[in-house]
Amino acid sequence: MKSLLKTAVWAAASVFASTAASAGEKIQIWHIFGNATEPTLVNFTRWNETHPDNQIDQKFIPFAQLSQQLIKGIATGDVPDLVTIDNPVVASFASQGALEELTDLVKGSKIIEKSKYYTGSWNTTIWSERQYAVPGEANTLALYYNADMFRAKGLDPDKPPRTWAELKELSAKLTDPAKGVYGVGFSAIQSEEGTFQWLPFLQQSGGNLASLTSPDSVAAMTLWADFVKSGQASKDVLVKRQFEMMSAFLGGSSAMVVGGPWELQRMDKDAKFEWRVATLPVREGKNIEASALGGYVWGIPKGAKQRALAFKLVEFMSEPEQMKRAWSGGRLPPVPSISVENPANPKAYEVFKTQMIVAKARGPHPAWPLISSAIQTAIQSSLTGQSTPAAALERAQAVIKPLLDKNPIEGL
């Protein structure tokens, strides 16, 4: 992809026009929001209402296709002025020259300031000490659980699992093969979603990417593998996305499931039982609170024709009035000082706000897709029983260590 992007960037640069905006110029945006009620789309409408001379020309592209579409667009010089990017791949795009550098624009902004943002969200936009994107929205993970199932098994729904030991104990009690109920669910699918869900457990264990063969790191993989091996988690975790695992929870085939705030609207609409959300349990003896940081950022592709106008829109989207709408779409503002007044699902809101404090970014690293792929392979190998967790992580370490030696990731 590197050579392809280099060629594309040169081609795009050769036709790069003035970034000065004039009346009638439109801002072309590629984004991942397919639901008309998405807060970002509401904010687009608000922009169009207040900026009649520079309307937004938007294009929805499914999340799983956007990165490839952007690569193709750069190769052909057909790029939008602004694009939403999954935060762990910013460094990869930036290191290949696919994004406009925004360092000076951000320094001159009176709206976008580093000190306002969650450190993890901000760090995802930086590569090699230069800025290539601006955080748009954030999300993280917590533990959903079925309070009715807790009561049916004589468990107190006011006491969700706080440690791995309690998680294992409650999962065993809630597992009911006769009723087709698994105690716990998570997505171990061979994609970025699997990596996203496992990394909090790695961090809770006391392990990290630089020491995947340590007893702590192996303990994190063993925890997941044992859930599947014991029948407390379905083998479907190996092939189902987060959305599908939440569907299983909604359908009553899982008593607990790891999920994000983007599921809250669906829970409100479809759940036929009392449900609650708790922070992810910690490993006893370590007591490390951890979760994963997700979310998208705003990036301006190399060769964008309306760079200045696109950045003006990013500033608009970064104003508190726009950012605080994020919760209505199941996401959080990447700025902790922005509070959502009278939020829907207020208890869940507080849980996810708490998780955001300890949520860690994936990277930034220019080879994050390779690192993530090695983790995914280790998860699949361990949970299918093809390898022991120790052996699977040893192979992952062999792939990841040279990448980290070249570009270390702080705190992961």
Side-chain angles (χ1 to χ4, degrees):
M1 186 174 81
K2 189 171 183 177
S3 60
L4 177 65
L5 284 175
K6 282 185 173 178
T7 302
V9 167
W10 178 86
S14 69
V15 297
F16 190 80
S18 169
T19 58
S22 58
E25 297 284 3
K26 290 190 174 183
I27 312 171
Q28 292 188 339
I29 299 177
W30 291 356
H31 64 82
I32 56 172
F33 306 108
N35 188 335
T37 61
E38 284 280 0
T40 298
L41 301 187
V42 173
N43 289 336
F44 285 173
T45 299
R46 180 171 166 75
W47 166 275
N48 283 338
E49 291 172 349
T50 54
H51 299 77
D53 290 340
N54 297 116
Q55 298 284 285
I56 292 173
D57 181 8
Q58 58 170 296
K59 179 180 180 181
F60 164 69
I61 299 176
F63 174 82
Q65 301 174 20
L66 184 54
S67 289
Q68 284 301 314
Q69 188 71 27
L70 182 57
I71 292 169
K72 291 178 182 176
I74 292 169
T76 61
D78 179 20
V79 295
D81 301 308
L82 193 63
V83 62
T84 57
I85 303 173
D86 194 21
N87 61 26
V89 298
V90 171
S92 178
F93 277 115
S95 68
Q96 295 172 83
L99 298 176
E100 293 284 352
E101 187 190 325
L102 306 179
T103 307
D104 291 339
L105 288 171
V106 169
K107 283 183 178 177
S109 176
K110 296 180 180 179
I111 298 171
I112 302 168
E113 299 176 20
K114 177 182 178 181
S115 61
K116 295 179 179 178
Y117 289 77
Y118 286 108
T119 299
S121 293
W122 189 263
N123 287 347
T124 64
T125 66
I126 306 295
W127 172 243
S128 195
E129 300 183 353
R130 309 300 290 175
Q131 184 137 15
Y132 290 92
V134 174
E137 291 180 345
N139 63 63
T140 186
L141 294 170
L143 185 71
Y144 287 77
Y145 64 99
N146 185 322
D148 290 348
M149 285 188 178
F150 269 56
R151 294 191 186 92
K153 293 292 184 180
L155 303 173
D156 185 350
D158 291 329
K159 296 180 179 178
R162 296 301 186 193
T163 65
W164 285 12
E166 292 179 2
L167 179 65
K168 289 186 280 189
E169 178 186 354
L170 295 183
S171 177
K173 291 180 178 178
L174 290 161
T175 298
D176 192 338
K179 295 182 179 179
V181 177
Y182 295 93
V184 65
F186 44 82
S187 176
I189 191 171
Q190 193 162 12
S191 75
E192 183 64 31
E193 293 185 53
T195 302
F196 180 61
Q197 290 231 334
W198 183 69
L199 284 179
F201 292 89
L202 173 66
Q203 293 150 21
Q204 293 159 9
S205 76
N208 56 61
L209 291 178
S211 61
L212 282 177
T213 56
S214 71
D216 289 334
S217 299
V218 173
M221 190 64 79
T222 301
L223 178 72
W224 271 28
D226 284 351
F227 278 134
V228 174
K229 186 178 180 180
S230 66
Q232 294 177 34
S234 168
K235 292 180 180 177
D236 286 350
V237 302
L238 286 154
V239 295
K240 286 190 173 181
R241 300 182 59 193
Q242 297 177 93
F243 177 86
E244 294 170 304
M245 291 308 301
M246 187 59 72
S247 294
F249 176 70
L250 277 165
S253 60
S254 178
M256 299 181 284
V257 68
V258 177
W262 58 85
E263 298 288 2
L264 290 169
Q265 288 180 314
R266 190 156 64 117
M267 293 300 300
D268 287 335
K269 178 176 177 289
D270 297 337
K272 308 300 183 187
F273 53 85
E274 183 186 348
W275 56 274
R276 302 183 187 181
V277 183
T279 55
L280 294 176
V282 300
R283 186 185 182 196
E284 52 279 359
K286 297 290 184 178
N287 298 323
I288 301 171
E289 299 275 0
S291 191
L293 176 67
Y296 77 85
V297 302
W298 297 109
I300 299 177
K302 203 76 170 181
K305 295 180 176 60
Q306 299 292 346
R307 190 178 71 163
L309 190 54
F311 189 75
K312 184 178 178 181
L313 175 57
V314 172
E315 287 189 308
F316 173 83
M317 300 296 284
S318 302
E319 293 174 349
E321 184 67 19
Q322 276 65 253
M323 276 198 170
K324 68 183 181 182
R325 292 193 177 95
W327 184 248
S328 65
R331 300 179 186 84
L332 291 157
V335 175
S337 63
I338 295 177
S339 296
V340 179
E341 298 175 0
N342 300 315
N345 295 301
K347 291 183 179 178
Y349 174 72
E350 292 303 324
V351 168
F352 282 110
K353 284 270 287 186
T354 299
Q355 291 292 83
M356 274 298 298
I357 296 171
V358 297
K360 290 187 177 179
R362 289 158 285 165
H365 198 288
W368 181 258
L370 295 177
I371 293 171
S372 180
S373 178
I375 295 170
Q376 295 160 30
T377 299
I379 293 172
Q380 291 280 311
S381 183
S382 299
L383 272 59
T384 57
Q386 294 178 341
S387 297
T388 64
L393 287 172
E394 185 174 359
R395 288 194 291 273
Q397 179 92 329
V399 174
I400 293 172
K401 186 177 184 303
L403 301 173
L404 295 183
D405 286 346
K406 187 175 182 181
N407 292 293
I409 299 176
E410 184 178 353
L412 196 64

